[in-house]
Amino acid sequence: MDHERDIDLVDDLRKQPSECEWLEFKSNFVNHEKIGELCSALSNSACIADKKNAYVVWGIKDGSHNIIGTKFNPDTEKVENQDFGLWLTSQLEPEISVDFRIVEHPEGRLVLLEIPATYLMPVSFRNIQYVRQGSHVTKLTGRPQKFQQLIEKLRPYTWEKASVINYVKGDFVREILDYQAYFRLTKQICPDRNDDILKKLQTDKLIASDAGAKWNILNLGAILFANDLRDFRSTSSIDRKGLRFIAYDGKDKNATVIRRFDSQKGYANGFEEFMDIIKGMMPEHEHIDPIFRKARPLFPIRALRELILNALIHQDMTITGSSPLIELFHDRIEISNPGQSLIETDRMIDLPPCSRNEAIAALMRRMDFCEEAGTGLDRVFGFFETDVVAPSPQIRSEHGSTRVIMYGPKKFKDMTDQERISACYYHSVLKYLAKENMTNSSLRTRFGIDSNNVSLVSVVIRKSKEAGWIKIADEAHPRSGYIPSWV
């Protein structure tokens, strides 16, 4: 298959109108230094042109693009008693994996050099950075406009854009991805023609075109719409990224596991099934309103949904063998994801979100799974202001992961000092975001305490001030209320 793909790739490259900033044709040209400069220039220029790779093909005549064959053999070339390929790689900084391949094309023997586009910093050869200007190689320092274009294009590695399966037919794409769920969830009409279905998937960067009218399935498409993540096991570890749920018959992990579920579907097409399983296992508590006693889930379902979506969107996908995990105990539920938080945990509620997976986040929002950027955690903490008296959720970021702990209902008298101080702080943040100040009265309402117990809340406010979490809103007016200490 690899050889067949290379033939298709060469034929596609020959269809280009001419050499360009990411493509070069050669006959028998062998100049080690010039090839090194060319690798630097093509890698940088491919990044500017939004190309995944750049190419040099030996054995094709420039202009006509006819195949004339080549005698060049990179496998026998030596530089300073070192194999040419190894020498070339050692002279490039940062090191990129240039790949020479012999292509036995039906019309003649070719050599294909595939050069990955840089994504971290400009690539240099022997400490000099090069770029293509048209079909010419020039120093990057002499092209300030090109340099600026390259810097603007350089971004940290984007996991979502990488391929998980390459060079497959359209029928295979439609078999392995739940494209019907994609159209349903994005509220689009599914086209009748298969080619139009694939073009739609390509538009949302779920798949990308490959040589010979074949397709590459991208990580974004697989993680969101896989019919079965195990189908990708032979080419990646993405099957280990599925959502996981464990329910314990007790308050710690030593208790008996009463339910375990590892979702094998994509996050988008499998999410509702996953939530239904969790809701089916959720304990209930008795809620008393002014007239009736009602059974409610132990944890607010809307808050739980938001936290799970938050975990899958903000996880570090480059950490292999780990995935979002939801653990249900008798008194709490824990949602964890690989990757430490990019924001200080006590500021996650008010600062703009910093997502590692922008494409996943954007598409999940389009499909109405989660709220607009920046409002999710506000809503989660808000549930504990109005719906239930309980400790505020705890957010911990340590040992390469982020964990949110959500507790069930708990009366003020049963909360620890730390739980009361934490609830006081987050109450002050929510009030501040609503352009209000926290007061003794508002905090009493948050804790479900009547007006006869003002002193209980006063103690919490004093301890929160002493711990540095809140401060008086206006020192000149002590009754002005309280705001977070970072304001």
Side-chain angles (χ1 to χ4, degrees):
M1 178 183 291
D2 289 344
H3 182 66
E4 181 183 348
R5 179 185 180 278
D6 281 345
I7 292 174
D8 284 339
L9 175 58
V10 167
D11 287 341
D12 283 353
L13 295 175
R14 292 169 63 202
K15 293 175 184 176
Q16 292 293 320
S18 61
E19 290 182 335
C20 59
E21 297 186 341
W22 52 272
L23 175 62
E24 177 89 0
F25 294 123
K26 298 290 186 184
S27 54
N28 293 301
F29 176 82
V30 182
N31 183 312
H32 303 144
E33 296 287 330
K34 293 296 183 182
I35 292 174
E37 295 173 6
L38 188 58
C39 285
S40 165
L42 288 171
S43 180
N44 294 328
S45 296
C47 177
I48 295 172
D50 288 324
K51 295 293 183 179
K52 184 178 178 181
N53 297 294
Y55 302 94
V56 184
V57 188
W58 280 263
I60 293 180
K61 186 176 180 58
D62 187 23
S64 67
H65 297 181
N66 291 332
I67 293 178
I68 56 177
T70 184
K71 297 178 181 178
F72 173 50
N73 187 350
D75 296 337
T76 60
E77 288 292 321
K78 299 284 185 181
V79 184
E80 300 170 359
N81 294 321
Q82 190 176 15
D83 289 340
F84 178 45
L86 291 175
W87 174 85
L88 183 59
T89 299
S90 70
Q91 303 301 312
L92 296 170
E93 179 66 32
E95 186 174 303
I96 56 175
S97 300
V98 296
D99 184 19
F100 285 99
R101 301 197 292 272
I102 307 298
V103 180
E104 297 294 346
H105 193 280
E107 298 179 35
R109 178 185 177 279
L110 307 173
V111 174
L112 173 67
L113 172 58
E114 189 171 77
I115 306 161
T118 185
Y119 61 85
L120 289 175
M121 59 186 291
V123 172
S124 63
F125 173 72
R126 292 198 164 183
N127 300 316
I128 299 176
Q129 298 166 350
Y130 296 90
V131 71
R132 293 269 280 191
Q133 185 70 35
S135 60
H136 301 286
V137 172
T138 182
K139 291 181 180 179
L140 185 59
T141 53
R143 302 289 177 179
Q145 185 176 2
K146 288 284 186 182
F147 179 80
Q148 186 60 38
Q149 289 176 336
L150 178 57
I151 295 302
E152 290 176 358
K153 291 285 185 179
L154 288 174
R155 292 290 183 270
Y157 171 73
T158 303
W159 179 88
E160 299 137 311
K161 295 180 181 179
S163 299
V164 63
I165 290 183
N166 296 318
Y167 195 64
V168 294
K169 293 182 179 180
D171 289 346
F172 182 82
V173 173
R174 290 183 290 104
E175 176 185 335
I176 205 169
L177 297 184
D178 189 352
Y179 68 90
Q180 292 177 327
Y182 161 77
F183 285 104
R184 182 180 72 253
L185 293 170
T186 55
K187 301 177 181 62
Q188 301 180 77
I189 296 174
C190 182
D192 294 328
R193 297 178 67 251
N194 292 335
D195 286 349
D196 292 336
I197 291 173
L198 296 170
K199 287 177 182 177
K200 284 284 188 179
L201 299 180
Q202 182 184 24
T203 299
D204 265 328
K205 296 180 172 57
L206 306 179
I207 62 175
S209 60
D210 201 345
K214 302 292 196 308
W215 296 93
N216 299 331
I217 298 177
L218 306 184
N219 279 329
L220 179 64
I223 200 63
L224 289 184
F225 294 105
N227 281 313
D228 192 331
L229 288 168
R230 291 169 295 189
D231 291 337
F232 301 90
R233 183 175 294 171
S234 62
T235 56
S236 79
S237 60
I238 199 171
D239 64 298
R240 305 283 299 277
K241 288 293 180 185
L243 285 166
R244 299 169 58 214
F245 170 67
I246 303 175
Y248 299 91
D249 189 17
K251 294 185 177 182
D252 58 46
K253 295 186 180 183
N254 293 321
T256 303
V257 174
I258 56 176
R259 182 67 195 272
R260 185 190 299 270
F261 177 68
D262 294 341
S263 176
Q264 298 300 334
K265 291 185 178 180
Y267 293 160
N269 62 323
F271 188 77
E272 295 305 336
E273 176 190 8
F274 188 78
M275 285 300 303
D276 287 343
I277 288 173
I278 295 178
K279 287 186 283 188
M281 295 296 299
M282 188 75 69
E284 293 184 335
H285 74 102
E286 190 176 69
H287 171 75
I288 302 175
D289 66 18
I291 303 176
F292 302 105
R293 294 175 180 266
K294 297 180 179 179
R296 283 187 176 183
L298 189 62
F299 312 102
I301 296 299
R302 289 181 297 167
L304 177 61
R305 180 186 182 91
E306 199 73 43
L307 288 174
I308 295 174
L309 287 164
N310 208 57
L312 66 88
I313 286 172
H314 294 287
Q315 67 179 300
D316 186 345
M317 291 292 192
T318 65
I319 298 177
T320 58
S322 184
S323 65
L325 171 64
I326 295 84
E327 296 175 290
L328 176 63
F329 302 89
H330 280 184
D331 62 340
R332 70 192 186 282
I333 192 164
E334 300 187 3
I335 302 99
S336 59
N337 61 268
Q340 292 190 212
S341 173
L342 299 175
I343 300 173
E344 295 178 35
T345 56
D346 58 293
R347 299 297 305 277
M348 289 176 70
I349 189 174
D350 70 284
L351 290 177
C354 186
S355 175
R356 290 184 173 93
N357 309 295
E358 292 292 348
I360 293 177
L363 197 48
M364 292 297 273
R365 291 188 190 106
R366 262 183 57 202
M367 295 184 290
D368 295 329
F369 279 104
C370 46
E371 297 294 320
E372 289 301 319
T375 64
L377 280 180
D378 303 6
R379 289 167 52 83
V380 168
F381 281 83
F383 292 136
F384 294 86
E385 299 281 304
T386 57
D387 286 17
V388 62
V389 176
S392 296
Q394 292 184 26
I395 307 175
R396 300 174 182 173
S397 184
E398 54 193 9
H399 307 305
S401 68
T402 300
R403 181 158 50 109
V404 180
I405 305 171
M406 187 163 59
Y407 294 93
K410 184 186 283 191
K411 295 179 180 179
F412 177 83
K413 66 182 181 66
D414 298 324
M415 293 185 191
T416 66
D417 269 356
Q418 187 55 50
E419 288 173 341
R420 293 169 183 171
I421 291 172
S422 177
C424 175
Y425 166 71
Y426 283 114
H427 177 64
S428 74
V429 174
L430 289 170
K431 282 294 184 182
Y432 177 75
L433 294 176
K435 304 188 184 305
E436 300 175 16
N437 295 338
M438 182 187 80
T439 64
N440 187 295
S441 175
S442 71
L443 190 57
R444 288 201 314 271
T445 301
R446 160 66 177 91
F447 284 126
I449 297 174
D450 61 44
S451 57
N452 296 323
N453 292 303
V454 173
S455 61
L456 293 176
V457 169
S458 297
V459 172
V460 174
I461 290 175
R462 175 176 58 79
K463 289 183 177 181
S464 299
K465 285 172 57 184
E466 292 172 351
W469 289 106
I470 62 172
K471 65 182 181 181
I472 296 175
D474 185 349
E475 291 290 347
H477 300 86
R479 294 182 179 276
S480 59
Y482 304 90
I483 56 178
S485 58
W486 42 259
V487 176

